């Protein structure tokens, strides 16, 4: 089918290829942004909901009909699907997406037409570190030094159209050379081939139609934070949503049964911006701890855990409505009454699966006081390993009590450099608590530590609201590294309420850490909240859990892929296997999970998987959207992957 379409383009655009012109009724004209208008029309604003202006800029049938005037009618590659085009796809013998170098890969002039019709928004990928390499025209040693020094800051990657915060899944094909001994060349690797710098809905529709009709790989990328690199892919056209950053506050918003404060977020809005606007307006938004994660992108799509979760539930529970472009190019609303099945799926079932979200509306809460507690304890000549682990055990015995009181305990256990370990609260977060309230809550725990002979010096700090507490507690995180990858587990309540199971859980945690992993732990729950809409596809394991335990396996910056493979396999098949064994039937958070998770359907989606998969088949019979471990991803594979290090540097093909 792709070949068929391309044949028609070449027939009608013969002169265009040779002379860079487009035939019009008035004769051939130079094809440039002065002669080819963006394929977009401003549609009348809805009277029932407030879209952002750019959501009213759409690709309509009359816009497509107008392409006839450019004599581009034959470019059916921009058309919405018909029943015929769907059956043509299913009859196609092509098992793989078209890849650069294939005969079917669009020629430069076809990409240029996409560029012109999208309003000059197409960006041909230059890897972020290309200025470090003399083989690239962008070579510039000064710029390379800047890129190298900023490589571990999220903003550097956020602001790049195609980069990822987790370059391992790209395949490490273009890193600043001083950071890795093997980084001596720079190729495109797993980065997308082209991106569209999205600023309106029409561009998304145009790109989806183009990728679907030409059988190209498509990726959606907001900030690139996803732990499995779900926003990258070799040979892909990428929709870069970062610039859809409009953000509005509605002091009193009524929608369905909800009445109260709300925010409308463009798909690219980052957590720190929402928190700042919430603070300015005297309310609390339910977001995560990372400053630069895209709230309306992968975060809410995956469920979204928050320092507020033990009080009000998941971020996905706070959503009132979503605007989304479907795989067929149609722009629709999803809420409790309109497209309710889609609304259910978009809140927990994962990004890059059911469509491209352009904006969503979330409810907000009054400001709450926050009190944090920090302290650490470490193994030493006077604090034995067994005493240390008994201290951790003492904490585990409060894992139900604390979140039931609304708290969120963020802590880590890492090597202390002397062959032992250090436990650190980073911080223990008492949401909606004054300092005396938190001190009262944790007093029995502190006494237990004291009785064990573990001296700690807790520091309590009370804040008037979430924003200052969060700003003081969660500095910008280090990203851009390739020296670890993580698995995670949502251990349910019984693991901490049953003393036998608690000991088994602790033993499984200790085994992994003594094996060489580190623990990034959350003692958290998803509170039942009658004032939020919790009928969504958030992993059912989240509703039972008292933890989100992230377990990064580590190696050094110059590790070979063989070493990375070794640690990754150990992580999946040994360390986390023991965690699974003590929590059978529980799950894992797929936004911060193991790309190699066996039976990922059960672990990441639980009992909702069949329903999510059926909806995926219904909305995307074309197989347009793919993301590793996403719903339906078992129907695809990427060529050239080595076991346990599945990079996106290969061709995407159907498994059958
Ligand atoms: C340092 C760090 C801290 C984190 N802290 C938290 C936390 O506190 N709580 C928490 O729950 N999670 C946290 N996460 C995980 C985070 O939720 C996920 O990484 C999430 O996928 C990031 O979404 P993004 O859109 O910013 O990233 P991206 O990598 O750009 O996108 C993630 C996925 O969503 C898809 N996607 C993005 N935008 C859209 C869209 N508009 N429409 C459809 N699909 C889209 C992408 O295709 C991709 O599959 C953290 C991650 C990091 C790296
Ligand atoms: C459209 O292009 C075709 C093929 O190049 C040509 O025969 C036809 O005259 C063109 N029509 C217009 C309206 O320019
Ligand atoms: C179609 O083209 C005509 C003539 O160029 C223009 O006036 C009109 O606005 C276009 N319509 C759309 C929907 O783009
Ligand atoms: C190299 O990059 C630096 C820093 O961005 C810039 O100031 C300079 O103009 C660049 N040099 C060239 C030759 O482009
Ligand atoms: C990795 O290699 C780089 C470049 O050769 C070197 O500067 C760095 O010190 C090495 N890092 C480690 C952890 O060995
Ligand atoms: C993307 O589009 C925005 C808005 O038009 C513009 O400000 C920005 O410079 C563009 N970025 C790139 C890399 O083209
Ligand atoms: C939850 O939403 C789904 C999807 O719209 C719907 O079928 C189901 O009836 C709802 N369940 C409840 C308990 O409201
Ligand atoms: C905070 O506590 C107050 C007083 O107990 C309660 O009324 C309010 O609902 C709580 N807020 C949240 C978000 O839990
Ligand atoms: C955030 O914290 C930093 C120090 O950690 C401080 O300099 C800055 O002023 C704070 N910002 C806000 C808005 O509170
Ligand atoms: C759990 O471990 C602790 C500390 O080792 C021990 O004292 C306790 O008896 C164990 N409990 C059970 C039920 O095995
Ligand atoms: C506690 O957990 C153990 C180990 O899984 C199990 O054998 C036992 O039946 C559980 N006890 C209760 C009361 O559920
Ligand atoms: C990893 O390497 C260690 C040390 O060479 C070896 O004992 C272990 O079996 C390897 N594990 C895997 C999964 O290859």
């Amino acid at each position: 089918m792709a070949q068929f379409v391309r044949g028609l383009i070449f027939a009608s655009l013969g002169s265009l290829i040779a002379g860079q012109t487009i035939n019009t009724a008035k004769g051939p004209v130079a094809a440039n942004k002065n002669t080819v208008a963006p394929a977009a029309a401003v549609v009348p604003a809805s009277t029932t909901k407030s879209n952002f202006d750019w959501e009213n800029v759409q690709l309509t049938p009359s816009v497509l009909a107008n392409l006839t005037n450019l004599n581009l009618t034959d470019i059916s590659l921009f058309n919405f699907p018909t029943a015929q085009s769907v059956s043509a796809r299913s009859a196609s013998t092509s098992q793989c997406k078209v890849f650069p170098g294939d005969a079917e890969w669009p020629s430069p002039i076809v990409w240029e037409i996409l560029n012109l019709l999208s309003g000059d928004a197409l960006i041909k990928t230059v890897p972020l570190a290309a200025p470090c390499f003399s083989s690239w025209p962008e070579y510039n040693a000064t710029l390379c030094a800047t890129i190298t020094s900023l490589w571990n800051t999220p903003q550097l990657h956020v602001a790049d159209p195609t980069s990822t915060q987790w370059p391992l899944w790209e395949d490490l094909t273009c890193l600043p050379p001083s950071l890795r001994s093997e980084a001596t060349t720079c190729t495109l690797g797993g980065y997308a081939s082209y991106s569209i710098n999205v600023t309106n809905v029409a561009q998304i529709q145009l790109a989806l139609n183009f990728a679907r009709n030409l059988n190209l790989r498509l990726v959606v990328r907001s900030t690139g934070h996803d732990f499995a690199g779900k926003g990258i892919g070799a040979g892909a056209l990428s929709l870069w949503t970062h610039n859809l950053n409009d953000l509005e506050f509605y002091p009193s918003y009524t929608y369905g049964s909800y009445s109260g404060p709300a925010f409308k977020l463009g798909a690219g809005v980052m957590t720190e911006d929402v928190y700042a606007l919430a603070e300015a307006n005297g309310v609390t938004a339910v977001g995560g701890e990372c400053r630069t994660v895209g709230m309306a992108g992968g975060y809410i799509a995956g469920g979204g855990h928050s320092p507020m979760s033990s009080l009000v539930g998941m971020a996905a529970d706070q959503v009132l409505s979503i605007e989304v472009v479907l795989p067929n190019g149609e722009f629709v609303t999803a809420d409790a009454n309109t497209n309710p099945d889609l609304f259910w799926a978009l809140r927990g079932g994962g990004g890059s699966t059911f469509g491209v979200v352009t904006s969503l509306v979330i409810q907000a809460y009054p400001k709450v006081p926050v009190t944090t507690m920090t302290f650490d304890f470490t193994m030493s000549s006077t604090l034995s390993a067994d005493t240390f682990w008994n201290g951790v055990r003492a904490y585990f015995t409060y894992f139900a009590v604390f979140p039931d009181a609304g708290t969120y305990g963020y802590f880590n256990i890492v090597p202390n450099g002397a062959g032992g370990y250090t436990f650190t609260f980073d911080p223990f977060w008492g949401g909606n608590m004054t300092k005396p309230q938190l001190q009262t809550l944790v007093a029995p725990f502190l006494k237990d530590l004291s009785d064990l002979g573990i001296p700690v010096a807790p520091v309590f700090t009370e804040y008037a609201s979430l924003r200052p507490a969060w700003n003081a507690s969660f500095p910008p995180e280090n990203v851009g590294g390739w020296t670890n990858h993580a698995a995670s587990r949502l251990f349910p309540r019984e693991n901490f309420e049953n003393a036998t199971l608690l000991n088994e859980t602790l033993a499984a945690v200790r085994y992994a850490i003594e094996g060489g992993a580190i623990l990034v732990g959350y003692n958290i729950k998803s509170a039942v909240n009658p004032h939020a809409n919790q009928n969504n596809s958030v992993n059912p394991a989240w509703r039972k859990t008292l933890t989100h335990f992230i377990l990064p396996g580590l190696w050094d910056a110059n590790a070979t892929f063989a070493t990375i493979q070794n640690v990754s396999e150990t992580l999946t098949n040994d360390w986390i296997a023991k965690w699974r064994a003590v929590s059978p039937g529980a799950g894992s958070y797929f936004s911060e999970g193991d790309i190699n998770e066996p039976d990922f359907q059960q672990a990441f989606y639980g009992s909702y998987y069949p329903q999510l998969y059926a909806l995926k088949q219904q909305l995307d019979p074309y197989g347009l959207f793919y993301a590793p471990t996403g719903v339906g991803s078992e129907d695809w594979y990427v060529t050239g992957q080595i076991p346990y290090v599945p990079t996106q540097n290969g061709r995407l093909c159907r498994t059958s």
Side-chain angles (χ1 to χ4, degrees):
M1 195 299 269
Q3 202 151 16
F4 173 70
V5 171
R6 182 173 173 271
L8 291 177
I9 299 163
F10 274 61
S12 65
L13 297 182
S15 64
L16 197 150
I17 292 155
Q20 309 274 309
T21 60
I22 293 181
N23 294 325
T24 70
K26 294 177 189 157
V29 296
N32 61 47
K33 48 188 167 174
N34 299 320
T35 55
V36 180
V42 179
V43 304
S46 162
T47 52
T48 55
K49 56 182 181 161
S50 39
N51 276 345
F52 290 127
D53 287 346
W54 48 264
E55 290 179 305
N56 295 325
V57 178
Q58 298 175 13
L59 185 68
T60 61
S62 60
V63 170
L64 281 171
N66 256 15
L67 295 180
T68 315
N69 298 338
L70 294 172
N71 205 355
L72 298 182
T73 331
D74 292 344
I75 305 188
S76 52
L77 74 178
F78 293 108
N79 283 350
F80 294 100
T82 60
Q84 289 84 341
S85 62
V86 176
S87 59
R89 174 65 198 88
S90 45
S92 161
T93 54
S94 170
Q95 287 297 97
C96 299
K97 299 280 183 181
V98 171
F99 201 69
D102 291 352
E104 295 87 351
W105 182 254
S107 66
I109 197 67
V110 174
W111 285 111
E112 180 57 17
I113 290 172
L114 174 65
N115 178 41
L116 296 175
L117 296 181
S118 67
D120 207 17
L122 190 73
I123 301 169
K124 193 170 199 288
T125 301
V126 173
L128 182 53
C132 296
F133 296 87
S134 57
S135 53
W136 284 79
E138 289 75 14
Y139 179 63
N140 176 336
T142 313
L143 191 51
C144 173
T146 306
I147 289 168
T148 304
S149 67
L150 295 176
W151 191 259
N152 291 117
T153 63
Q155 277 297 351
L156 178 77
H157 302 276
V158 165
D160 183 88
T162 36
S163 188
T164 165
Q165 318 266 2
W166 295 84
L168 180 62
W169 309 123
E170 180 279 308
D171 205 15
L172 309 180
T173 68
C174 187
L175 295 173
S178 60
L179 302 183
R180 178 170 161 89
S181 48
E182 276 184 29
T184 54
T185 57
C186 173
T187 59
L188 218 47
Y191 292 122
S193 295
Y194 290 88
S195 315
I196 290 190
N197 182 0
V198 178
T199 52
N200 63 44
V201 164
Q203 294 163 331
I204 299 173
Q205 297 174 300
L206 201 62
L208 295 191
N209 288 355
F210 182 81
R212 194 185 56 244
N213 292 325
L214 284 177
N215 192 27
L216 302 179
R217 183 167 180 185
L218 179 93
V219 296
V220 187
R221 186 204 176 263
S222 174
T223 68
H225 275 90
D226 187 84
F227 272 39
K230 296 191 189 87
I232 55 173
L237 171 60
S238 173
L239 287 169
W240 182 37
T241 58
H242 172 63
N243 289 304
L244 299 177
N245 54 13
D246 294 53
L247 173 59
E248 273 183 32
F249 176 65
Y250 308 130
S252 58
Y253 186 75
T254 302
Y255 199 86
S257 58
Y258 180 76
S259 190
F263 292 94
K264 182 174 169 74
L265 283 64
V269 169
M270 297 187 294
T271 308
E272 60 189 3
D273 300 322
V274 184
Y275 285 170
L277 192 63
E279 177 73 10
N281 287 283
V283 299
T284 308
V286 180
E289 42 97 347
C290 177
R291 292 166 185 241
T292 45
V293 157
M295 248 172 87
Y299 172 76
I300 277 178
H305 65 80
S306 167
M308 292 292 289
S309 288
S310 303
L311 292 168
V312 300
M314 306 296 286
D317 302 343
Q318 318 307 326
V319 179
L320 299 171
S321 67
I322 305 180
E323 306 301 318
V324 54
V325 186
L326 297 177
N328 67 7
E330 202 187 335
F331 181 53
V332 302
T333 298
D335 64 25
N337 299 311
T338 315
N339 298 307
D341 293 350
L342 175 64
F343 186 54
W344 177 83
L346 289 170
R347 293 171 301 142
S352 199
T353 302
F354 305 101
V356 181
V357 168
T358 62
S359 72
L360 47 75
V361 179
I362 54 170
Q363 63 188 58
Y365 293 85
K367 267 189 187 170
V368 293
V370 174
T371 300
T372 60
M373 172 180 73
T374 52
F375 67 75
D376 57 54
F377 57 90
T378 196
M379 278 184 210
S380 67
S381 54
T382 54
L383 205 162
S384 71
D386 283 342
T387 304
F388 177 88
W389 287 106
N390 278 334
V392 177
R393 185 180 181 282
Y395 181 34
F396 279 19
T397 63
Y398 293 92
F399 263 33
V401 172
F402 289 160
D404 284 349
T407 69
Y408 158 98
Y410 184 51
F411 67 98
N412 57 65
I413 301 176
V414 300
N416 68 0
Y421 303 95
T422 298
F423 174 103
T424 306
F425 276 124
D426 202 20
F428 185 108
W429 174 283
N432 208 9
M433 280 191 183
T434 61
K435 187 167 161 178
Q437 284 173 325
L438 183 62
Q439 284 173 324
T440 303
L441 179 72
V442 300
F445 168 42
L446 297 179
K447 178 169 187 305
D448 290 351
L449 290 179
S450 169
D451 290 350
L452 285 166
I454 300 176
V456 296
V459 175
F460 293 89
T461 313
E462 183 175 329
Y463 303 87
S465 61
L466 179 144
R467 170 76 174 336
W470 165 82
N471 181 56
S473 301
F474 299 104
E477 308 204 30
N478 265 3
V479 299
W482 54 89
T483 55
N484 75 80
H485 108 243
S488 65
R489 195 74 184 160
L490 301 166
F491 287 110
R493 183 172 286 265
E494 57 260 31
N495 281 59
F496 304 96
E497 289 189 337
N498 173 330
T500 308
L501 204 44
L502 185 150
N503 280 6
E504 290 171 7
T505 306
L506 181 70
V509 168
R510 182 173 175 175
Y511 177 84
I513 293 168
E514 290 182 345
I518 60 173
L519 179 66
V520 178
Y522 297 84
N523 175 212
I524 185 175
K525 74 169 188 180
S526 166
V528 172
N529 182 354
H531 306 295
N533 183 339
Q534 298 188 304
N535 180 12
N536 56 33
S537 55
V538 167
N539 188 344
W542 265 113
R543 308 300 185 187
K544 298 179 179 163
T545 197
L546 290 176
T547 74
H548 169 40
F549 275 5
I550 306 179
L551 188 70
L554 310 174
W555 48 83
D556 76 46
N558 296 326
T560 62
F561 271 81
T563 300
I564 296 172
Q565 184 176 4
N566 179 302
V567 178
S568 299
E569 185 174 350
T570 304
L571 174 71
T572 303
N573 290 346
D574 185 12
W575 300 333
I576 281 281
K578 295 210 164 35
W579 290 21
R580 283 193 294 268
V582 294
S583 57
S588 171
Y589 181 37
F590 95 121
S591 283
E592 300 179 308
D594 185 0
I595 196 171
N596 300 312
E597 181 73 35
D599 196 4
F600 75 85
Q601 297 92 333
Q602 188 284 323
F604 295 148
Y605 309 92
S607 58
Y608 294 154
Y609 195 76
Q611 197 176 334
L612 289 165
Y613 185 80
L615 188 67
K616 168 76 174 166
Q617 300 312 299
Q618 182 194 323
L619 293 175
D620 188 12
Y622 331 98
L624 180 58
F625 288 90
Y626 163 85
T629 71
V631 171
S633 59
E634 65 270 45
D635 297 336
W636 299 87
Y637 68 97
V638 175
T639 60
Q641 289 181 334
I642 63 171
Y644 297 95
V645 195
T647 79
Q648 294 307 309
N649 185 10
R651 185 192 289 267
L652 183 64
C653 299
R654 289 176 188 269
T655 46
S656 61

